[in-house]
Amino acid sequence: MSHSILDGNTIVFAGGGTGGHLLPGMAVAAELVSRGDCKISFVGTNRSIEKQIIARSGYEHIDLPTYPLKAMFRNPIRFFLNNFRAYWKGRTHLRESKPALVIGLGGMASVPVIVEASLLKLPIVLLEQNIVCGKANHFLLGRADVICSSFPDTIWNSSQVEKNQKPRVVVTGNPVRTEIRQLAEMGQKSTSCSEGDEFVILVLGGSQGAVSVNSAVTEMLERSVDQLPKTIRVVHQAGEKDFTRMEKTYERLLGSIPGLKVTVQPFFEELSEWYARAHLVISRSGATTLAELACVGCPTILIPYPGSVNDHQLLNARYFAQHGAAAIVEQSPDARQTASLLKEAVFKLIFDEAQRIQMATSMRRLAFPHAASLVADEIVALIQG
């Protein structure tokens, strides 16, 4: 019986708070477990979306009482108290679990754990999902041994990385779940829609939804009653906070738009089926969603979140648009203006099959379906020393 270097080892994943941070970690964890008998734990936040995602996996989850950096000036006492508690709880977990390696996923919850891992001289890997390095990872760069980058052109804002000193940067792509990788391996998906078939539009505002995207989509549909395909299905991930409003809005639209079918949920635990069926996607431009869309080859209209740190969603979107893989609709302060711009972008694609095929092909050129395996290779090499 062959043995793996991973057998008997504990690997700690630090960070989270959103699906964008967590799902790449989950993909890497699944790859590591497939290679050896290792124990996985996730140290992150107490957000419901995080608990929901990790609960399905069966991995151990330790939630830290972190307080966001943007709230530091509003409530400095709570910020320092909560984050000191988070540091102590993360420190205790590391000292008790004695991991072979720690992986930073980004987000505030990664900081106390990576700092303590550095003090314990444990090997450290950081996953950077976006095209511009996030604040947490930027703060932690000098403590890492390896950074796994999703984009070849990542902006680091750090002379340390640019001078090629420690840490070593490896372009692995953004790890995607096994189901998404399997869709990628099936080859080019069909974006054609025959007469009488449902034209499927998939709407994604991220794991927590996006009120502005939700409103823009429903207003765009209201303005397009007489112009839509005869049979159209909107599959909409609305987020928990806006789900009730969206459910009521779609109930009203179903009565006024002939041929409209709707599937709306707060969060889709499994999107593979809808990725495979979607003729067009309307989405925020978080890096993890983009990585999945690229693997499947989905023609996409991106609405970057204007409040994202360092404008990373706009920069992610521009990278994909520059490669012909997506169209961009920038969110306007006026919701009606956003809906108008979205309608224009949708109708450029909805009846132009050739353009959708070209975008799908360009999307797939940007895919890294085996990113989780490449990250796992780096982890195994570090543990081996």
Side-chain angles (χ1 to χ4, degrees):
M1 182 179 175
S2 62
H3 291 280
S4 164
I5 189 72
L6 296 170
D7 289 349
N9 278 314
T10 295
I11 311 289
V12 170
F13 289 79
T18 66
H21 286 312
L22 273 175
L23 293 175
M26 302 288 284
V28 174
E31 176 66 24
L32 292 172
V33 168
S34 75
R35 295 188 183 197
D37 184 21
C38 56
K39 182 182 177 184
I40 302 292
S41 68
F42 281 79
V43 184
T45 73
N46 58 5
R47 287 187 184 177
S48 60
I49 189 69
E50 180 168 326
K51 291 179 176 178
Q52 184 182 344
I53 290 171
I54 296 177
R56 299 198 310 270
S57 69
Y59 299 132
E60 181 183 18
H61 181 225
I62 293 88
D63 59 321
L64 304 183
T66 52
Y67 203 61
L69 187 63
K70 62 185 177 183
M72 179 171 66
F73 297 107
R74 191 169 66 240
N75 197 331
I77 294 173
R78 188 174 177 188
F79 174 84
F80 286 107
L81 189 60
N82 276 36
N83 287 304
F84 177 75
R85 287 173 178 160
Y87 169 76
W88 202 259
K89 191 172 181 180
R91 175 183 186 272
T92 301
H93 178 67
L94 287 185
R95 289 175 182 254
E96 288 177 353
S97 61
K98 297 182 173 59
L101 181 138
V102 180
I103 302 163
L105 302 176
M108 192 66 186
S110 69
V111 173
V113 185
I114 298 298
V115 168
E116 180 61 18
S118 173
L119 294 173
L120 293 173
K121 298 191 176 354
L122 295 170
I124 295 169
V125 174
L126 299 181
L127 304 189
E128 180 48 63
Q129 294 94 6
N130 292 294
I131 198 165
V132 56
C133 182
K135 286 184 176 179
N137 276 354
H138 182 72
F139 176 73
L140 298 168
L141 282 177
R143 300 175 187 270
D145 296 285
V146 174
I147 303 174
C148 295
S149 171
S150 298
F151 290 86
D153 304 330
T154 301
I155 303 162
W156 297 107
N157 295 323
S158 170
S159 59
Q160 188 171 36
V161 171
E162 288 158 9
K163 289 175 184 173
N164 217 16
Q165 300 171 359
K166 182 190 174 184
R168 189 166 63 88
V169 177
V170 184
V171 180
T172 59
N174 199 1
V176 295
R177 294 165 287 171
T178 305
E179 313 87 81
I180 305 299
R181 177 177 56 76
Q182 288 169 345
L183 282 176
E185 289 169 352
M186 288 168 62
Q188 186 76 38
K189 77 190 264 328
S190 173
T191 57
S192 63
C193 187
S194 304
E195 184 74 28
D197 288 349
E198 285 184 347
F199 189 94
V200 179
I201 299 178
L202 176 62
V203 183
L204 302 169
S207 59
Q208 299 176 83
V211 173
S212 299
V213 172
N214 294 348
S215 297
V217 168
T218 51
E219 187 161 339
M220 179 270 295
L221 290 170
E222 283 189 280
R223 294 182 181 195
S224 310
V225 174
D226 300 325
Q227 300 159 273
L228 294 165
K230 287 182 181 178
T231 307
I232 185 167
R233 178 178 291 278
V234 177
V235 181
H236 197 136
Q237 182 168 281
E240 288 181 15
K241 292 179 182 176
D242 205 29
F243 173 65
T244 303
R245 181 180 75 94
M246 292 305 294
E247 205 173 29
K248 289 176 181 175
T249 303
Y250 276 120
E251 281 175 13
R252 179 169 53 79
L253 289 177
L254 284 167
S256 61
I257 303 178
L260 176 65
K261 298 178 182 179
V262 174
T263 304
V264 58
Q265 289 186 20
F267 178 72
F268 289 95
E269 292 190 1
E270 184 44 71
L271 274 169
S272 300
E273 175 196 352
W274 295 118
Y275 280 145
R277 290 177 59 183
H279 298 99
L280 182 63
V281 178
I282 300 169
S283 178
R284 284 296 198 208
S285 47
T288 295
T289 299
L290 286 171
E292 294 186 348
L293 293 170
C295 282
V296 185
C298 293
T300 302
I301 297 169
L302 297 171
I303 308 177
Y305 173 48
S308 63
V309 177
N310 296 327
D311 244 355
H312 70 257
Q313 286 217 3
L314 179 59
L315 294 172
N316 290 346
R318 282 179 179 167
Y319 180 84
F320 274 71
Q322 285 162 3
H323 287 80
I328 299 175
V329 169
E330 291 199 40
Q331 183 176 315
S332 168
D334 180 353
R336 291 170 299 181
Q337 175 69 6
T338 307
S340 178
L341 293 170
L342 179 61
K343 180 182 175 183
E344 185 181 339
V346 166
F347 279 91
K348 275 183 180 175
L349 291 169
I350 206 167
F351 296 111
D352 190 343
E353 185 179 320
Q355 178 66 9
R356 295 200 311 273
I357 290 170
Q358 180 272 314
M359 288 176 82
T361 302
S362 298
M363 263 287 186
R364 288 179 64 84
R365 290 196 188 111
L366 299 179
F368 287 86
H370 300 289
S373 180
L374 296 174
V375 174
D377 289 344
E378 295 298 327
I379 289 166
V380 169
L382 273 176
I383 292 174
Q384 284 176 327

